[in-house]
Amino acid sequence: MSGAVSIIGCGFVADLYMRSLAAMDGITVAGVFDRNPERLSQFCAFWKVPAVTSLDDLLDRHPRDGVVLNLTNPASHYEINSACLAAGCHTYSEKPLAMSVEDAKALHAQAQAAGLMLASAPCSVLGEAAQTLGHALRTGVAGTPRAIYAELDDGFVPQAAYRKWISESGAPWPFEDEFRVGCTLEHAGYYLGWLISWFGSVRTVVAASAETIPDKEGTGPFAPDLSVATLFFDNGPMTRLTCSIVAPHDHQIRIIGDGGVLACKAAWDNSAKVTFAKRMTIRRRLMESPFPKTIKLGQPTHPKVKRWGAAAMNFMLGPAEMLDAIRTGRPSRLSNDFALHMTEVTLAMQNAGEHSGAQAMTTRCDPMEPMPWAQ
């Protein structure tokens, strides 16, 4: 692996990218910019990476066979993504791609017209757990999948000690921004990405969302803190996906097939165990095996990153995939269509409210080619 990235934004999540970068051979940082000079200096001194004094300067210096990482606050994503594309830079954006479907479509059109890659986090879809589940689906371990239940519940976060959540280089967890943006826009992609990579386009979203915990700390208005969505795929099973910062922590996904249940209990761990519980009848009782089989791939996968905070994820898998695609002249698995479609589905969930009913998606994308070590 080789190539260069430039980083815009030195907030809480940027440290997770730098921890991941340390595990990846050959990827260098061409430059870093943040609109807060003190934060920029603190971050660059901690990670020993070069600071750049303006966005224009960073984009001018950025190597055109590299990738710009947009790690700014979500309200700035559209503006910064558009500026990166206008400068001729392949762009990897933290989630969401934009705060509206219209803006996301404009970015997609801009990237397509310029012949540039535009990808969206999260990239855990390229990780070992997601790829192992995908391989199990393709090889029929559980038979035909009939339904999927997925949870992205993070506990009653407004009562958590989030003011004590400080990144390695000293950035506080941006609680006010997190509450304004909402857990669905922040987290739905962790399983949506997996699902879309396996089954392709979501045809219809039937969802509901609400703010169930009033009076959060900070200045509102705040986004829904609970969403429940039923997803209908063009070529996949009916799926129920829940996101909240209300219900007790649960990051489980269960794929119910004709022969049993595939499961993974930790969306934020690239090395999470993937299991298969075979369905059986004992006397008159139908049940899944209480001793599920662990499913493993038969070869080395990707560099791993030790747990820090809530996650054990390699945040650089996405940029690394883009850099490899640029170097070898192939399409990236994290395609422009993938980023746009995941954004539209996520926004449909977030903005569903009480009365939206069935929402027909207007974007499409194909299933993702598996990683070479998962084929």
Side-chain angles (χ1 to χ4, degrees), residues 274-291:
V274 173
T275 61
F276 171 61
K278 185 178 181 180
R279 190 172 300 111
M280 61 184 70
T281 301
I282 299 179
R283 296 178 183 172
R284 293 181 295 173
R285 183 183 177 189
L286 179 67
M287 60 184 291
E288 280 77 36
S289 170
F291 305 105

Side-chain angles (χ1 to χ4, degrees), residues 39-59:
R39 180 67 202 134
L40 175 65
S41 176
Q42 186 180 27
F43 179 86
C44 291
F46 184 88
W47 292 109
K48 298 179 174 58
V49 288
V52 178
T53 55
S54 73
L55 176 61
D56 287 344
D57 193 13
L58 179 135
L59 295 176

